[in-house]
Amino acid sequence: MAICAKIDTYEQMYLIRAFEERIAELFSRGELFGTTHPCIGQEATAVGVVTTLEPTDVVTSTHRGHGHFLAWTGDVQGLMAEIMGRATGVCAGRGGSQHLYAENFYTNGITGGMGAVGTGMALAEKQRASGNIVCSFIGDGALAQGILHEAMNMASLWDAPILYALENNLYAMSTHVRDTLAGGIVPRAGALAIESATVESDDVFDVIAAAEQAVEYVRENSRPYLLELRTYRFCGHSINDERAYRTREEEDEWQRRDPLARLAGALAETERRAIEGRCRARIERAIAAARNAPVQDLGDIGKGLWKS
Amino acid sequence: MEKLTVGRAIAAGLRKKLADDPTVYLLGEDICDPYGGAFRITRGLSSEFPGRLINAPISEAGVVGVATGMALRGLRPVVEMMFGDFIALAADQLINHAAKFSWMYNGAVSVPLVVRAPMGGRRGYGPTHSQSLERMLLSTPGLRIVAPTPRHDAAALIGAAIDDSNPVVFIEGKLLYAAEQATVSEHYDIAHTHPPYPAAVLNNAAGEQPNVTVVTYGPMLPVVEEAMTAAFNEDEVACEILAPSEIGPLDTALIGESVARTGRLIVAEEGPRSWGWAAEVVARVVERWGDRLVARPVRVAGRDLPLPTARPLEDHVLPGVETVRGAVEKVMLQ
Ligand SMILES: Cc1ncc(C[n+]2csc(CCOP(=O)(O)OP(=O)(O)O)c2C)c(N)n1
Ligand SMILES: [Mg+2]
């Protein structure tokens, strides 16, 4: 692995980790309104998959989308301002943490729903012969939604070029996947004649390798693919979660597999510190900018509801 | 000449858009030939436009979600719900997805999606195949609800819905599929207001002042027309009937202007009386033009019951010509 790839990947993953930790602090200090779903521990799945996409491809994501968003855009300012409810946010404060938009990037807060929307997007890209594919991030919990079964069925029937990037972090809120999912994840794809694979995300470069294969398959064959990414969120489901449903031993075990720490170990100390300093400075600049930004003009609140 | 029914007009509108706009796709259960849809509206189109109609699995939520994604990425999909009642299965995709994207992304995207929904009773299909569920969607900002009547150009309306950059739910009264579309009548002067979603304005006062404003939409219009023709012939009640095609969001100005002239208001719809479209229309008129009313407004609507299958039972639950006549009596006596 080239050292520059490691540096770049570490910078992206660290940016996400530091961003999420800072968001948690801002919440605990009462500076933020509402809720958010951090992806601390899952940086390798976000960065690892997104790295393998082309800029003209399309990504859909979920309530837990900051990592995907940052990996896709690097737009710390736009995301921070959005979470802080400012006019300078990517959706002017209307969407907030769960409802993010950037070019070719769409999230929504309804578990599983974007899997269907993403499938339609993939069919549109195919129809327009754009050569683009869609990557729809979904969670293990989302797999219990009937609409995902419907969408994957259609994706297979109609040859939609879509990668379902399923982040299996073992939990949907407080509920373990063994209590929500009968049978297995990958067998579901098999039943629909959809290619699939599973990858552990301890090493982000394993994720990249698996995603590269999946993306290539989707693009070459114009077929759907399900990639199960085994991961773990170190934090609570949302800001308001004491994680009483799992043991500290279990968490410690996963912490020892932290993909960010693993990659950090492969970098020279000075290099690593420089990266971390850069990321933190970007985040602080974004916070300062958002604090000084206005909220959306209330006279504009109806804009965009009806398109002419 | 074969008479032009509302069903044929919708089909003609779909055909024209398929021919004119290569981004238009039709998705739905059993819409392809030889079947051509449960009500045969799309019959012939899959043969005429190969690859542009897609027979969907029985996945109403999934198909509306997929169509929403297609719309977000530059296509103009039209989904046929086999029966409008099934739109309940797609409620999340309409309310939490299609209706939200443009606004919640601060106007950055458009969702030019059409969902065609055959609604309404009087065909004996019973409690789960006869409802008028548009009311469930009317309270979602960002969804346009359009309903043709035989007094509209249904081909133009479906064309406008497909050209629309917003999600449109197109309410097709099942009973209207076989009804003749005619914009002239021996009983009424018929005018249309601003396109692309005009209201049909029917007037039988022959230049005199009408006595009552009757507001309705979709498959209730023929019922209202019949009742008001009888009221005119028997009791000399002249009326102005307003049938907006865009029932949500609703432009109330036309209704208010008419009520300001007549002082009397009846609002008629086929769905159950409670929490309905008529309630909203009455509330708006009373709020803004209440001082122009000379009589309390009257609603005509279905009973607050599920729809039975047997014809006499269904007739009892749905508002008919006699129900409208009763409302006229009530509003004229005050
Ligand atoms: C339709 C719907 N039901 C419930 C919720 C509440 N909810 C938000 S996230 C979540 C768990 C999702 O679990 P999973 O798909 O595994 O994603 P993860 O949170 O683990 O990233 C639930 C139940 C929701 N947002 N939408
Ligand atoms: Mg999960």
Side-chain angles (χ1 to χ4, degrees):
Chain A
M1 184 60 52
I3 187 70
C4 64
K6 284 188 181 165
I7 290 170
D8 220 45
T9 306
Y10 185 74
E11 181 145 5
Q12 287 193 63
M13 287 170 60
Y14 183 82
L15 180 71
I16 295 168
R17 173 79 52 99
F19 184 94
E20 296 290 58
E21 286 176 349
R22 198 68 178 88
I23 290 288
E25 274 169 41
L26 291 174
F27 258 110
S28 64
R29 293 214 319 238
E31 201 171 329
L32 298 180
F33 181 59
T35 191
T36 192
H37 306 88
C39 63
I40 295 170
Q42 303 184 190
E43 298 86 356
T45 54
V47 172
V49 172
V50 169
T51 301
T52 66
L53 299 170
E54 298 296 329
T56 50
D57 286 334
V58 181
V59 175
T60 78
S61 171
T62 68
H63 59 289
R64 202 177 304 287
H66 301 174
H68 308 138
F69 180 92
L70 289 174
W72 183 251
T73 65
D75 182 8
V76 179
Q77 296 235 2
L79 179 59
M80 185 62 81
E82 185 60 32
I83 297 168
M84 291 175 73
R86 299 308 207 274
T88 48
V90 290
C91 296
R94 294 177 175 190
S97 168
Q98 299 194 71
H99 314 99
L100 302 172
Y101 171 79
E103 197 176 353
N104 300 336
F105 184 95
Y106 311 75
T107 82
N108 197 6
I110 300 292
T111 302
M114 291 306 275
V117 173
T119 302
M121 290 173 158
L123 290 167
E125 295 304 320
K126 179 184 161 195
Q127 219 58 56
R128 296 188 2 241
S130 68
N132 301 328
I133 71 165
V134 174
C135 169
S136 281
F137 284 98
I138 53 178
D140 50 286
L143 217 46
Q145 290 284 23
I147 194 164
L148 263 179
H149 171 77
E150 297 182 9
M152 289 167 73
N153 184 47
M154 284 181 268
S156 185
L157 287 169
W158 301 338
D159 296 322
I162 180 167
L163 170 62
Y164 300 103
L166 188 146
E167 294 176 303
N168 179 7
N169 60 6
L170 297 181
Y171 290 89
M173 292 181 74
S174 70
T175 308
H176 197 276
V177 64
R178 71 174 161 256
D179 297 328
T180 61
L181 190 110
I185 290 174
V186 158
R188 282 168 158 70
L192 298 169
I194 291 177
E195 284 293 315
S196 61
T198 298
V199 63
E200 301 289 336
S201 64
D202 308 45
D203 184 337
V204 64
F205 295 103
D206 290 346
V207 176
I208 292 175
E212 259 168 0
Q213 236 177 40
V215 164
E216 189 184 303
Y217 171 88
V218 171
R219 212 184 296 280
E220 297 287 296
N221 301 283
S222 188
R223 285 287 300 164
Y225 192 103
L226 175 74
L227 181 60
E228 182 197 2
L229 303 141
R230 311 231 340 140
T231 180
Y232 197 81
R233 64 168 155 74
F234 300 154
C235 53
H237 163 74
S238 61
I239 49 157
N240 188 18
D241 173 12
E242 293 84 32
R243 314 187 316 281
Y245 44 84
R246 60 192 199 189
T247 64
R248 295 303 85 97
E249 291 72 37
E250 178 186 300
E251 292 185 347
D252 289 346
E253 196 180 308
W254 280 94
Q255 286 270 6
R256 283 195 287 278
R257 298 173 57 179
D258 180 1
L260 186 71
R262 180 182 182 131
L263 188 52
L267 298 178
E269 175 81 5
T270 48
E271 187 68 60
R272 182 174 64 77
R273 280 178 192 279
I275 293 170
E276 294 174 0
R278 273 204 303 275
C279 289
R280 283 199 301 269
R282 273 174 81 186
I283 293 164
E284 293 315 309
R285 276 200 303 278
I287 294 172
R291 281 180 179 143
N292 286 322
V295 297
Q296 183 166 45
D297 189 317
L298 296 184
D300 292 337
I301 190 77
K303 283 191 183 158
L305 180 62
W306 300 107
K307 304 304 286 277
S308 52
Chain B
M1 200 177 87
E2 205 188 335
K3 75 172 179 183
L4 180 64
T5 62
V6 172
R8 287 295 93 207
I10 293 168
L14 292 171
R15 176 178 291 108
K16 178 164 175 10
K17 291 313 298 182
L18 282 164
D20 290 353
D21 185 346
T23 67
V24 173
Y25 284 81
L26 272 50
L27 297 91
E29 294 155 21
D30 305 286
I31 62 170
C32 290
D33 291 337
Y35 203 71
F39 294 96
R40 305 296 187 273
I41 299 301
T42 56
R43 184 179 264 177
L45 295 181
S46 67
S47 308
E48 211 174 316
F49 301 97
R52 304 281 293 286
L53 276 75
I54 304 170
N55 259 354
I58 309 164
S59 303
E60 288 80 9
V63 171
V64 173
V66 162
T68 300
M70 292 166 81
L72 276 167
R73 300 296 300 180
L75 300 184
R76 292 189 176 270
V78 181
V79 177
E80 176 176 297
M81 285 285 139
M82 182 177 279
F83 281 78
D85 309 68
F86 309 158
I87 212 163
L89 285 101
D92 172 60
Q93 286 296 316
L94 286 169
I95 296 170
N96 292 321
H97 292 79
K100 292 292 182 286
F101 287 124
S102 174
W103 183 87
M104 85 182 178
Y105 295 159
N106 199 29
V109 303
S110 310
V111 184
L113 163 75
V114 178
V115 178
R116 298 178 37 237
M119 294 283 190
R122 306 187 210 271
R123 288 191 58 162
Y125 290 133
T128 63
H129 290 62
S130 308
Q131 299 165 94
S132 303
L133 293 186
E134 53 273 18
R135 63 187 44 224
M136 296 186 64
L137 301 169
L138 279 163
S139 55
T140 298
L143 285 184
R144 199 188 306 286
I145 318 287
V146 174
T149 73
R151 301 309 191 185
H152 288 97
D153 178 349
L157 283 181
I158 191 72
I162 293 171
D163 287 340
D164 202 313
S165 299
N166 304 282
V168 177
V169 180
F170 199 77
I171 305 298
E172 302 174 0
K174 289 198 265 306
L175 210 64
L176 300 184
Y177 283 142
E180 183 168 12
Q181 176 177 293
T183 43
V184 290
S185 156
E186 55 172 312
H187 301 296
Y188 297 92
D189 294 327
I190 300 177
H192 291 92
T193 59
H194 39 276
Y197 300 114
V201 182
L202 287 71
N203 196 302
N204 63 1
E208 303 289 313
Q209 177 64 34
N211 314 110
V212 57
T213 301
V214 188
V215 183
T216 191
Y217 71 87
M220 262 311 274
L221 180 61
V223 178
V224 165
E225 274 189 47
E226 189 181 334
M228 297 316 293
T229 302
F232 182 76
N233 292 340
E234 293 163 27
D235 303 320
E236 292 179 5
V237 178
C239 67
E240 186 157 85
I241 303 172
L242 305 178
S245 58
E246 184 184 12
I247 63 170
L250 182 66
D251 180 356
T252 335
L254 185 73
I255 300 170
E257 266 162 40
S258 176
V259 169
R261 280 184 279 115
T262 64
R264 292 186 175 83
L265 174 67
I266 295 170
V267 189
E269 69 183 315
E270 189 180 302
R273 182 179 182 80
S274 297
W275 311 108
W277 184 78
E280 176 67 21
V281 174
V282 168
R284 291 194 194 189
V285 168
V286 169
E287 277 175 347
R288 262 190 75 187
W289 294 278
D291 54 346
R292 312 298 288 270
L293 289 166
V294 299
R296 286 193 299 273
V298 178
R299 278 182 288 167
V300 173
R303 294 176 196 266
D304 289 322
L305 285 168
L307 284 171
T309 305
R311 176 163 248 161
L313 303 184
E314 191 188 38
D315 283 346
H316 176 72
V317 174
L318 291 179
V321 172
E322 285 315 308
T323 330
V324 180
R325 291 294 302 272
V328 174
E329 217 163 280
K330 209 167 151 187
V331 85
M332 294 310 296
L333 275 182
Q334 292 177 43

